[in-house]
Amino acid sequence: MTDALDDIAGILERTGEYRVLRRLKPFAASGEPADEPTYLGLILDTETTGLDPATDEVIELGIIAFSYGASGRIYRVGQRFNQLQEPSRPIPETVTRLTGITDADVAGQRIDDAAVEALAGRARVIIAHNARFDRRMCEVRWPVFATRNWACSCHQIPWREEGHEAARLGGLLADHGYFHNGHRAIDDCEALLALLAWPLRRSGRLGLAALLEAARRPTVRLWASDAPFALKDRLKDRNYRWSSRRRCWYIDLDEEQIEIERSFLSREIYGGILPGLPADRFTARDRFSARSDPET
């Protein structure tokens, strides 16, 4: 029956009038021996009771372990881990509608903390599709995540430059002709693993190679101290953000962009005289953590 359906799908696609989405199957590495040093990576996704790490809780944790080389090739897929957790209060209806996870599903369930810490403790890098959210949720419960390198496949791969309209996981899969059961932790992990293993649409680079390159680069947060209020729109147009805690505009940049940015600030903001501006340097060890939050 599957072969017959594939034939029908192929006929529809060849007309040019239809696009067919196929269900994504779990990724399987080629099994070829590695010709470079390999490392352990984790793909991670959480489902939670809400968006606030201080008050909300993880109700599902999905992890896929894999070995990879610096080239971005994935050589082996290891343990697949997926567990539910009963929270301290009922799951909000909005979360159940989004994920399908009910109070009955999580009743009596608990994520194995020791197993999670053992996996994370051996990882060279942990990848999430919104690392700013997943990292902070995980660090509250499992402190080991604060000591790991993290990478964000949503914001550290140039999806738009590679021909995609947006970086939403389901949309990226659809652009490749696939769909998955979104908003369940292990299914989102499977989707991300496949995307990282495939070549990017325009450059042809492996998705994981592009992500690792971005994650390895330090970033610098430059603070535009005492910038004139009248020039705030010029800063906003250049993608500066406002920190309400520090009462200051800031921008996050790759290190090689700093001198260009200082020249802009001197010329356009400070009237040719550049004050000594504070700057913070981040690497994959602290990027996306609450430690790097400009509001904390």
Side-chain angles (χ1 to χ4, degrees):
M1 187 62 179
T2 301
D3 290 341
L5 293 176
D6 284 340
D7 289 342
I8 294 170
I11 292 170
L12 290 172
E13 289 174 324
R14 286 192 293 273
T15 67
E17 299 296 325
Y18 299 90
R19 290 187 63 205
V20 178
L21 298 182
R22 293 166 171 81
R23 182 181 295 279
L24 183 72
K25 297 179 180 178
F27 175 80
S30 66
E32 296 179 7
D35 56 2
E36 58 181 327
T38 61
Y39 311 95
L40 176 69
L42 300 182
I43 291 175
L44 178 148
D45 186 68
T46 60
E47 302 300 337
T48 67
T49 58
L51 303 178
D52 187 346
T55 58
D56 290 305
E57 302 169 67
V58 175
I59 56 174
E60 185 176 42
L61 178 67
I63 297 175
I64 298 178
F66 64 98
S67 65
Y68 69 95
S71 65
R73 290 185 61 190
I74 295 174
Y75 291 99
R76 187 179 67 85
V77 179
Q79 181 179 355
R80 286 175 164 91
F81 177 98
N82 194 73
Q83 291 185 355
L84 294 167
Q85 170 75 40
E86 183 177 10
S88 59
R89 57 184 183 273
I91 299 173
E93 291 184 8
T94 53
V95 172
T96 295
R97 285 197 299 269
L98 181 67
T99 66
I101 301 173
T102 67
D103 290 324
D105 293 328
V106 299
Q109 300 293 315
R110 182 170 178 81
I111 296 170
D112 185 340
D113 293 336
V116 173
E117 290 169 359
L119 272 172
R122 296 185 292 112
R124 182 70 170 259
V125 65
I126 298 169
I127 301 170
H129 200 60
N130 184 3
R132 188 177 303 277
F133 174 75
D134 290 297
R135 177 169 193 167
R136 296 178 192 196
M137 293 300 303
C138 287
E139 285 183 354
V140 170
R141 167 125 179 217
W142 302 284
V144 65
F145 285 112
T147 69
R148 302 294 90 194
N149 296 318
W150 282 72
C152 180
S153 53
C154 182
H155 298 290
Q156 291 185 295
I157 296 177
W159 295 112
R160 290 184 182 275
E161 294 175 22
E162 293 289 346
H164 302 274
E165 291 186 0
R168 189 174 60 85
L169 201 57
L172 295 171
L173 271 189
D175 287 344
H176 286 278
Y178 292 92
F179 71 94
H180 78 305
N181 182 25
H183 298 294
R184 290 304 300 264
I186 197 64
D187 296 293
D188 282 348
C189 288
E190 294 284 4
L192 181 51
L193 179 63
L195 286 167
L196 295 176
W198 292 335
L200 296 172
R201 298 173 80 185
R202 288 184 176 165
S203 68
R205 297 183 67 197
L206 294 174
L208 181 58
L211 178 59
L212 292 174
E213 180 180 310
R216 293 185 191 110
R217 289 196 301 264
T219 52
V220 176
R221 177 168 296 152
L222 187 63
W223 296 89
S225 299
D226 300 318
F229 179 79
L231 299 178
K232 64 181 178 62
D233 289 337
R234 196 167 298 177
L235 290 169
K236 289 169 66 176
D237 289 343
R238 201 166 171 92
N239 296 320
Y240 278 75
R241 298 179 180 180
W242 175 255
S243 169
S244 57
R245 183 181 68 86
R246 290 182 57 163
R247 309 292 296 173
C248 186
W249 293 95
Y250 71 93
I251 190 170
D252 292 337
L253 303 162
D254 289 337
E255 282 188 315
E256 60 267 22
Q257 298 173 300
I258 292 299
E259 290 310 312
I260 295 173
E261 199 60 29
R262 289 183 187 274
S263 295
F264 160 79
L265 290 170
S266 175
R267 183 180 64 255
E268 302 289 338
I269 304 299
Y270 295 106
I273 302 174
L274 186 66
L277 300 179
D280 303 318
R281 187 175 185 272
F282 300 110
T283 68
R285 185 57 57 94
D286 43 32
R287 196 181 292 128
F288 309 119
S289 172
R291 299 189 304 276
S292 62
D293 190 333
E295 299 300 335
T296 60

